[in-house]
DNA sequence: CTGAAAGCGCTTACAG
DNA sequence: CTGAAAGCGCTTACAG
């Protein structure tokens, strides 16, 4: 019972282990009768396929590393990363692969240490989930192994990446505010923090430009320091009638702050977020926001990494996955009111 | 550059691969000078250790499967499972192991299909995270591989498990309510749904008994059907002055329902939850609750599974990890008011 | 201190 | 349709 191998099965029937291998893998060269007999016996003997031996032969582990920087794994953004990882696990399954999560500690990222998964040849490729430092990205580039960035990208576009369409998402959302009669619109977020936030800001800006508006410095409100830590909002005396926040969590905090200062939301100030995570519906009023298509993003990223692991040299570049606006009560219709 | 092996290193220096193996593993029988030379060369040649080959030899994969039933992976309980999985990944790391997450679909659980990880010998043991059906538990018992249950347990106590101390957590919490002057206390939860909820209920009941109170049927309010789906609360006309809810999410919904019915929380009715998850702080008023010690639980579970994988035959039984009461505004002090 | 031999469990040509 | 031989990259006795 201990450890059944193909050889054990072979000896019991009186054939060679080659024949057993062929039968169990449904390959040609074994009569159907014998195949059935072998399969039956394998079942009876409690045989389990030894993937490690196969890996040894062809050099593939059938594992993909999913690297998540530590700082995204705590806090509140959890939900996004868990859903993403989970969806990845599901899609890997379809391809006969497994994902191995590797939390990249801040210290390792700082010290430019590649994941242990790499040094131990435990995986055939990597999905990096969540913005990494520029230096670390350079390090990754030199790593000779298939890789895909998920939810962020390399500015030099040398590594395939799948991102949410932050630019057009924020652009659409800002247009939506203009359509509702808003004329002055601000933005909440640190423009230098991540490429996602920057792109959302630029989409917002594009909409402003198209509506003949200029940027108003006072209405670009910072939400976090350079290490990503949230800071107090610095509110000017005069506010625009609407704000585009870089994410729902910040929109949630921003709404609370506005209410604390005596503003009514959305009557005095409308607020929109991004992500459609739990903060969108625990905010009062519920937030109009953009729902990121996690499933589609993850499926795409997995599809790409599997193709690359299987040998495609093709470069997929930067894939943007469209989100969709979810309309809720946090936007005031100025055309009627 | 393609694929550097120990043999390549050996040939370059003019020694055997046995010597390289010894040097790279810091084993005896190689002079320090040669060791250094070999390590240096390995580095220069970009050598990466082939874990698969090692696995082939000793039959260990250095992976542990973490199985999470699909129904816990969606919804709102996410946060708990993600934090748990993440913490597990961190602790595995310390032991030189990796975790591989396997979402167990409802269909596979129903059909009594073991995880693919098992049939492919991809792991040395399993942590099962989250309540499984009785039939599935029986199936697991027959699987000859080390395993630990996390956050639930087998009623026959045949499989090691690590759980939060639901019984004493709810007991302490109910005592706390009595101490605040409450005399009539109800419970919200389905008594037949999971062992966690049942234990919380029993802890609550124990406190009642100790305070000379009997159960009042009307004040045991159901929150979900047998498949775990939430149902409308069936509120009686007369309510007790306090309720112990089986979890924060349900407490959140229950508070909203009470407010909807015109009750003031906590003035008219106090409410306490369990878990200290996000629902505890998005509820108005914030919930008094029990914080589960995820880190400790996970660390313990990982420690146990590693020991078993390494050959310990010892049985650890059922380990309860104590949580702690987090006091917030949802409990009215009846002694002063 | 160093190495030749055997083996972990499978698969891939190749030969019959 | 079936199988002997070689090999994937390492490690474990064992011999020198």
């Amino acid at each position: 019972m201990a450890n059944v191998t193909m050889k054990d099965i072979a000896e019991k029937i009186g054939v060679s282990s080659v024949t057993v291998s062929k039968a169990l893998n449904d390959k040609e060269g074994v009569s159907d009768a014998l195949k059935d007999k072998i399969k039956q016996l394998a079942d009876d003997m409690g045989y389990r396929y030894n993937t490690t031996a196969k890996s040894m032969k062809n050099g593939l582990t059938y594992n993909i590393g999913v690297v998540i920087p530590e700082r995204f794994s705590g806090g509140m953004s959890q939900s996004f990363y868990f859903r993403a990882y989970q969806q990845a696990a599901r899609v890997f399954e379809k391809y006969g692969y497994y994902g191995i999560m590797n939390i990249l500690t801040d210290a390792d990222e700082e010290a430019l240490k590649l994941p242990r998964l790499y040094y131990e040849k435990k995986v055939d490729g990597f999905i990096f989930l969540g913005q990494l430092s520029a230096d670390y990205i350079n390090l990754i580039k030199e790593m000779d192994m298939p890789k895909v960035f998920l939810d962020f990208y390399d500015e030099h576009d040398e590594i395939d990446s799948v991102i949410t369409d932050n630019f057009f998402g924020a652009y659409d959302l800002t247009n939506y505010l203009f359509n509702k009669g808003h004329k002055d619109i601000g933005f909440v977020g640190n423009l230098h923090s991540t490429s996602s936030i920057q792109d959302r800001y630029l989409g917002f800006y594009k909409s402003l430009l198209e509506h003949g508006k200029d940027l108003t410095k006072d209405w670009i409100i910072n939400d976090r320091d350079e290490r990503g830590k949230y800071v107090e909002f610095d509110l000017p005396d005069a506010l625009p009638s609407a704000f585009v926040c870089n994410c729902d969590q910040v929109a949630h905090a921003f709404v609370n702050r506005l209410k604390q200062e005596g503003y009514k939301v959305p009557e005095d100030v409308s607020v929109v977020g991004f992500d459609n995570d739990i903060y969108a519906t625990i905010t009062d009023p519920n937030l109009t926001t953009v729902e990121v298509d996690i499933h589609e993003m993850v499926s795409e990223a997995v599809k790409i990494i599997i193709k690359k692991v299987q040998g495609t040299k093709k470069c997929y570049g930067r894939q943007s996955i469209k989100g969709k606006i979810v309309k809720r009560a946090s936007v005031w219709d100025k055309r009627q009111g």
Side-chain angles (χ1 to χ4, degrees), chain A:
Chain A
M1 193 61 173
N3 189 30
V4 185
T5 68
M6 287 190 180
K7 207 175 161 207
D8 296 332
I9 301 176
E11 281 170 359
K12 205 136 193 169
I13 299 200
V15 296
S16 78
S17 62
V18 176
T19 301
V20 174
S21 169
K22 283 174 185 162
L24 257 28
N25 287 299
D26 262 326
K27 296 219 165 137
E28 297 190 333
V30 186
S31 68
D32 285 349
L34 185 52
K35 262 190 194 173
D36 287 347
K37 190 171 164 196
I38 289 174
K39 284 182 188 171
Q40 180 62 49
L41 186 59
D43 239 33
D44 293 347
M45 295 176 71
Y47 174 76
R48 289 182 289 142
Y49 189 85
N50 189 324
T51 316
T52 304
K54 186 178 186 188
S55 293
M56 189 82 263
K57 277 293 291 182
N58 64 11
L60 290 176
T61 63
Y62 301 99
N63 295 142
I64 302 288
V66 179
V67 179
I68 307 179
E70 183 176 31
R71 63 180 170 290
F72 295 120
S73 69
M76 315 302 188
S77 30
Q78 290 175 346
S79 156
F80 173 81
Y81 291 92
F82 189 43
R83 280 162 68 195
Y85 184 71
Q86 211 180 278
Q87 172 65 7
R90 242 187 280 274
V91 185
F92 281 136
E93 174 85 36
K94 283 204 301 197
Y95 291 100
Y97 269 75
Y98 283 101
I100 300 186
M101 180 164 93
N102 192 131
I103 302 282
L104 179 67
T105 64
D106 293 346
D108 283 355
E109 184 179 357
E110 185 74 27
L112 300 179
K113 252 176 85 178
L114 286 172
R116 191 164 58 94
L117 284 174
Y118 173 70
Y119 292 112
E120 295 181 357
K121 292 202 181 173
K122 294 276 277 191
V123 297
D124 302 333
F126 281 103
I127 290 180
F128 289 92
L129 173 52
Q131 182 83 48
L132 293 161
S133 72
D135 285 347
Y136 204 85
I137 290 180
N138 281 329
L139 178 68
I140 291 170
K141 279 187 195 163
E142 284 167 22
M143 182 180 71
D144 64 332
M145 195 172 262
K147 55 223 161 216
V148 172
F149 288 165
L150 180 53
D151 201 40
F152 74 109
Y153 58 86
D154 166 36
E155 51 185 0
H156 303 303
D157 209 11
E158 290 164 31
I159 299 182
D160 294 333
S161 58
V162 179
I163 53 178
T164 191
D165 197 336
N166 290 303
F167 184 81
F168 281 105
Y171 170 74
D172 287 349
L173 202 52
T174 313
N175 284 344
Y176 171 73
L177 289 172
F178 277 115
N179 287 341
K180 287 291 176 184
H182 292 272
K183 303 212 173 339
D184 299 315
I185 306 177
F187 183 85
V188 181
N190 181 330
L191 280 36
H192 308 289
S193 168
T194 68
S195 51
S196 300
I197 298 179
Q198 209 165 67
D199 292 347
R200 290 173 190 182
Y201 166 71
L202 291 171
F204 152 83
Y205 187 25
K206 176 182 171 68
S207 172
L208 248 55
L209 289 174
E210 290 190 358
H211 288 81
K213 298 288 175 182
D214 228 332
L215 286 175
T216 306
K217 272 265 166 91
D218 274 0
W219 296 343
I220 311 292
I221 297 177
N222 190 29
D223 67 335
R224 67 190 79 188
D225 64 22
E226 267 152 41
R227 303 199 54 79
K229 210 170 150 279
Y230 290 119
V231 298
E232 279 268 301
F233 300 113
D234 193 12
L235 290 190
D237 293 335
L239 293 185
S241 70
F243 275 100
V244 174
C245 296
N246 76 85
C247 70
D248 289 339
Q249 185 178 0
V250 164
H252 176 73
F254 194 67
V255 165
N256 285 344
R257 174 66 189 282
L258 287 174
K259 290 199 275 193
Q260 198 177 303
E261 301 284 337
Y263 294 100
K264 278 190 183 167
V265 181
E267 295 84 342
D268 299 334
V269 183
S270 293
V271 174
V272 297
F274 210 107
D275 292 339
N276 196 30
D277 60 28
I278 188 161
Y279 286 96
T281 45
I282 68 173
T283 304
D284 175 35
N286 286 0
L287 298 172
T288 290
T289 185
V290 175
E291 180 170 303
V292 170
D293 193 340
I294 297 184
H295 276 222
E296 184 61 24
M297 283 174 68
V298 171
S299 302
E300 193 60 30
V302 172
K303 210 178 298 171
I304 293 176
I305 195 67
I306 298 282
K307 283 244 177 74
K308 299 183 87 164
V309 160
Q310 292 175 343
T312 315
K313 288 286 171 226
K314 193 173 151 193
C315 191
Y316 293 81
R318 205 182 292 164
Q319 308 238 358
S320 288
I321 307 294
K322 267 281 221 185
K324 69 167 198 283
I325 295 183
V326 178
K327 294 168 190 168
R328 297 209 183 88
S330 69
V331 174
W332 190 249
D333 193 337
K334 297 201 64 152
R335 295 165 313 178
Q336 48 162 245

